[in-house]
Amino acid sequence: MRIVNLGMALLAAVTVVGCASGQGAGDYQRTETRRVMSVRMGVVESVRHVKLEGTKSPVGTLGGAAVGGIAGSTVGSGKGSAIGAVVGAVVGGLAGAAAEEGITRAQGVEVTLKMDNGEMLAVTQEDGGENFQPGERVRLLQDGRTTRVTR
């Protein structure tokens, strides 16, 4: 029975991680293909490292509740098993939500740009190791919903 519980926990963890998507300059969603993006040029004024909070979707909560409910139901028999399942589901749901937020948390960068037209902009994106430097010439890609800073 412990192997089944362990398997369910691993399945929930993989499900949570599988829902995470990158937010860096090189990360594109499938729906972003074949979409025109405007390109503007500018110079990096400053770069600041930031923390991007993790996702808070129902996936972590539901996955944790399912695993916790199954694990809790193995405690005792009869009413004890039912109570264990409920308590396990509640605790598992809380743990699953916290795990999802922690697993999907990421390092980011806030890049302040001076565009060629003199406009100042700041873009926050996941840190993909670009190591932008002040004074560096970069591209700003925009499509109305998404903005990226790239070389």
Side-chain angles (χ1 to χ4, degrees):
M1 192 58 138
R2 288 184 184 197
I3 293 174
V4 171
N5 291 341
L6 180 60
M8 292 298 291
L10 289 173
L11 177 62
V14 167
T15 301
V16 169
V17 173
C19 293
S21 64
Q23 299 292 314
D27 297 314
Y28 284 81
Q29 294 178 359
R30 181 168 292 284
T31 58
E32 291 179 287
T33 59
R34 297 186 182 181
R35 197 168 17 177
V36 174
M37 297 189 94
S38 66
V39 180
R40 299 188 320 168
M41 301 302 289
V43 175
V44 175
E45 287 287 311
S46 66
V47 179
R48 183 172 72 110
H49 293 278
V50 296
K51 292 179 186 171
L52 303 176
E53 70 178 17
T55 60
K56 296 176 178 128
S57 74
V59 173
T61 303
L62 294 175
V67 172
I70 291 168
S73 69
T74 64
V75 175
S77 62
K79 285 186 179 181
S81 177
I83 292 170
V86 171
V87 171
V90 170
V91 172
L94 293 171
E100 176 189 7
E101 201 280 330
I103 289 169
T104 58
R105 193 175 298 144
Q107 287 297 115
V109 290
E110 177 189 83
V111 184
T112 302
L113 307 168
K114 184 167 187 176
M115 305 310 294
D116 288 351
N117 66 1
E119 180 182 18
M120 295 290 288
L121 299 173
V123 178
T124 303
Q125 62 192 33
E126 193 170 304
D127 187 355
E130 295 94 348
N131 297 316
F132 295 116
Q133 299 296 316
E136 179 179 7
R137 189 144 177 83
V138 294
R139 300 182 312 154
L140 183 75
L141 302 167
Q142 294 178 296
D143 72 354
R145 285 189 254 166
T146 305
T147 303
R148 292 179 174 82
V149 178
T150 67
R151 288 193 171 79

